[in-house]
Amino acid sequence: MLLPARDEVARHLERYRAWERLMLASPDNRAVRGSFEDTGYTLCVLMGKRCAREAVDAAELYLNTREPCERPVSDVWAAPSANA
């Protein structure tokens, strides 16, 4: 699966959080709610998820995980255990 650039994900996640705070502060404001929903939709598209909550979780996980190639060499070349 093709993944989006980390910078883009971080930028859109930051926007989502900012609009979320504004929406919680003024839930009756339709313009704020619309912008909040738009940022959620953008995260859904970026992360390939159907709902904003799942997209936010996926974005946070994506931004907090290391690349597989960044594993320490000792993990890659570790001897198999005797129990295997």
Side-chain angles (χ1 to χ4, degrees):
M1 180 174 145
L2 185 62
L3 295 174
R6 288 184 186 276
D7 292 342
E8 282 295 305
V9 174
R11 186 168 60 91
H12 286 288
L13 184 60
E14 185 177 320
R15 283 184 181 174
Y16 177 86
R17 292 293 187 206
W19 282 112
E20 181 181 42
R21 286 189 297 274
L22 288 171
M23 200 260 322
L24 291 172
S26 49
D28 295 335
N29 187 326
R30 289 185 181 188
V32 170
R33 181 174 290 277
S35 294
F36 171 67
E37 290 174 357
D38 288 347
T39 58
Y41 175 77
T42 301
L43 275 176
C44 287
V45 172
L46 277 174
M47 302 311 299
K49 299 296 181 182
R50 290 185 168 208
C51 77
R53 185 71 253 154
E54 289 178 2
V56 168
D57 290 343
E60 289 173 343
L61 181 64
Y62 178 59
L63 293 173
N64 290 326
T65 57
R66 297 186 312 179
E67 292 292 325
C69 62
E70 294 178 10
R71 290 189 339 196
V73 174
S74 60
D75 288 351
V76 175
W77 299 106
S81 65
N83 297 339

